[in-house]
């Protein structure tokens, strides 16, 4: 680990001067920039003194020391640049607006990295900044992040800013890389009770035996939660599903009308999409385990999805995340209708 000059008991004015220099970044190219750490400033100052003494005295030993330290500095810069240039990009999970998703992703590398270190990554997604951290060591790359988007959408991260002080901690090398990473952000689930009571399990039930579990969503009855398995955050909770509720409807179907009446606020449309996601979580399983729920069909506008099929389930999530108001009524005529338009 690099040595911190603060341990040298330097005067406050000198530490403040070092901090101002640390905040400066030198543009090397349009995509690369170079900054200094406190130890890096001390290193460069010492190296400059050695070269000045070598030129003044002509001492070959000073020339040798200066050349060795300069080679060490250039080798560190080259290794850091190679690390940032070849760093594999992560595969981001499905996110949900207003919910924190903890990412721990390990990627095996076919060849060992040139140097071990930590890389800070920042990307802009839908006007928000997502911060990730990559730890490289040997044949392993580990991504860590706490992702909390504020609004739903189907976004594509076009550029990432990477920075690292590896391998010596003397310089902060940063670069901008062009990428194409899709980020799927689902809406906040809005609990609702169906008029016919056939699909929403928030109402009453008969019998004490349950036949399977589904993911917990906000608004579920506390009596349905499997408390013996409830550990940690509500994201990991499970809710019991009873056979009586499954017998009422063999295959559920929801038709979603994407039309937004004139004069109605966009927040009403967002609530509608949140109700759709709530229904999908109940009938289609979890976003990471598609098709794990009961058989169900979803019609959003003119698009049809069988939630029991993994590929169609993922397509349904993409459609929910990127849904926008439409002009045409939904396809089909059977099933439960979810609409903002008043019936004629």
């Amino acid at each position: 680990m690099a040595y911190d000059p603060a341990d040298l008991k330097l005067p406050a004015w000198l530490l403040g001067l070092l901090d101002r220099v640390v905040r400066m970044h030198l543009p090397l190219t349009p995509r690369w920039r170079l900054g200094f750490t406190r130890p890096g400033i001390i290193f460069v100052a010492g190296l400059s003194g050695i070269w000045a003494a070598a030129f003044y005295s002509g001492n070959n030993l000073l020339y040798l020391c200066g050349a060795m330290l300069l080679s060490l500095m250039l080798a560190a810069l080259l290794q850091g640049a190679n690390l940032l240039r070849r760093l594999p990009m992560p595969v981001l999970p499905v996110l949900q607006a207003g919910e924190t998703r903890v990412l721990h992703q390990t990627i095996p590398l076919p060849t060992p990295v040139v140097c071990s270190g930590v890389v800070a990554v920042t990307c802009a997604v839908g006007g928000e900044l997502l911060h990730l951290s990559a730890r490289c060591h040997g044949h392993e790359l580990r991504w860590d992040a706490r992702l909390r988007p504020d609004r739903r959408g189907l976004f594509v991260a076009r550029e990432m800013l990477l920075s690292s002080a590896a391998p010596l901690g003397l310089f902060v090398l940063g670069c901008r890389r062009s990428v194409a990473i899709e980020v799927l952000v689902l809406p906040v689930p809005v609990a609702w009770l169906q008029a016919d009571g056939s699909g929403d399990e928030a109402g009453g039930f008969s019998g004490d035996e349950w036949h399977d579990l589904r993911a917990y969503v906000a608004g579920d009855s506390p009596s349905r939660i499997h408390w013996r398995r409830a550990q940690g955050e509500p994201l990991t909770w499970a809710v019991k599903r009873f056979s009586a509720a499954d017998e009422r409807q063999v295959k559920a179907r929801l038709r979603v009308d994407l039309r937004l009446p004139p004069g109605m606020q966009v927040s009403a449309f967002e609530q509608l999409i949140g109700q759709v996601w709530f229904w999908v979580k109940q009938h289609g399983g979890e976003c990471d385990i598609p098709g794990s729920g009961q058989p169900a069909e979803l019609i959003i506008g003119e698009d049809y999805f069988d939630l029991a099929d993994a590929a169609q389930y993922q397509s349904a999530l993409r459609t929910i995340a990127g849904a926008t108001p439409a002009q045409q009524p939904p396809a089909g005529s059977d099933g439960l209708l979810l609409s903002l338009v008043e019936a004629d």
Side-chain angles (χ1 to χ4, degrees):
M1 177 178 294
Y3 188 76
D4 191 348
D7 297 335
L8 298 176
K9 307 302 181 183
L10 298 178
W13 65 268
L14 182 56
L15 291 178
L17 179 61
L18 292 178
D19 289 337
R20 283 193 290 270
V21 177
V22 165
R23 287 192 290 268
M24 298 173 55
H25 293 86
L26 305 177
L28 302 179
T29 66
R31 289 189 172 271
W32 290 84
R33 59 186 178 86
L34 177 66
F36 295 90
T37 62
R38 282 182 175 181
I41 297 173
I42 300 297
F43 180 86
V44 172
L47 181 61
S48 301
I50 291 177
W51 277 107
F55 286 129
Y56 179 78
S57 64
N59 191 313
N60 291 333
L61 183 59
L62 292 178
Y63 277 113
L64 180 62
C65 291
M68 180 185 65
L69 294 177
L70 181 62
S71 301
L72 185 65
M73 181 183 69
L74 294 178
L77 289 175
L78 291 177
Q79 289 183 357
N82 191 36
L83 174 65
L84 298 183
R85 190 185 304 112
R86 299 186 178 183
L87 185 71
M89 291 294 100
V91 178
L92 297 182
V94 177
L95 306 177
Q96 182 174 293
E99 181 180 84
T100 301
R101 183 69 183 268
V102 180
L103 173 66
H104 297 299
Q105 188 178 109
T106 302
I107 302 177
L109 302 176
T111 57
V113 293
V114 293
C115 61
S116 301
V118 179
V119 180
V121 180
T122 304
C123 63
V125 175
E128 305 175 34
L129 294 179
L130 299 182
H131 302 279
L132 303 93
S133 175
R135 298 179 180 272
C136 312
H137 181 70
H139 288 269
E140 186 176 275
L141 170 64
R142 178 182 173 89
W143 286 96
D144 298 290
R146 293 179 62 89
L147 308 175
R148 184 184 175 86
D150 293 330
R151 63 187 184 94
R152 72 168 180 91
L154 185 59
F155 308 106
V156 177
R158 299 294 184 184
E159 189 177 67
M160 281 191 168
L161 174 61
L162 297 85
S163 60
S164 176
L168 298 181
L170 301 177
F171 312 97
V172 179
L173 191 63
C175 75
R176 295 183 180 274
R177 283 179 51 179
S178 298
V179 296
I181 301 179
E182 184 178 83
V183 183
L184 184 63
V185 182
L186 294 166
V188 178
V190 178
W192 58 293
L193 180 63
Q194 299 177 11
D196 60 357
S198 61
D200 194 345
E201 298 173 6
F205 58 92
S206 60
D208 295 330
E209 295 186 1
W210 51 276
H211 66 95
D212 67 353
L213 300 172
R214 63 168 175 81
Y216 169 82
V217 293
D220 281 331
S221 173
S223 61
R224 290 294 188 92
I225 300 175
H226 197 300
W227 290 110
R228 292 186 179 180
R229 297 189 181 183
Q231 298 180 358
E233 300 180 355
L235 181 64
T236 62
W237 292 359
V239 176
K240 301 176 183 177
R241 286 204 292 200
F242 293 80
S243 57
D246 195 41
E247 291 173 358
R248 289 196 296 264
Q249 189 176 34
V250 177
K251 193 166 189 178
R253 170 180 288 186
L254 178 66
R255 297 169 55 236
V256 183
D257 190 348
L258 296 178
R259 291 178 294 175
L260 182 65
M264 186 171 291
Q265 297 182 354
V266 181
S267 58
F269 182 81
E270 293 297 326
Q271 184 176 10
L272 174 74
I273 301 302
Q275 292 174 341
V276 176
W277 174 226
F278 178 84
W279 187 89
V280 170
K281 291 191 74 172
Q282 285 192 318
H283 295 82
E286 305 178 35
C287 57
D288 294 334
I289 311 177
S292 60
Q294 67 187 69
E297 298 175 347
L298 176 64
I299 299 176
I300 303 181
E302 299 180 352
D303 299 324
Y304 167 84
F305 305 99
D306 184 358
L307 300 183
D309 182 85
Q312 295 191 35
Y313 181 84
Q314 293 296 332
S315 299
L317 298 186
R318 292 168 54 87
T319 302
I320 294 174
T324 56
Q327 301 295 331
Q328 300 297 325
S333 58
D334 299 331
L336 180 67
L337 176 63
L338 192 61
S339 174
L340 298 174
V341 180
E342 296 183 0
D344 298 332

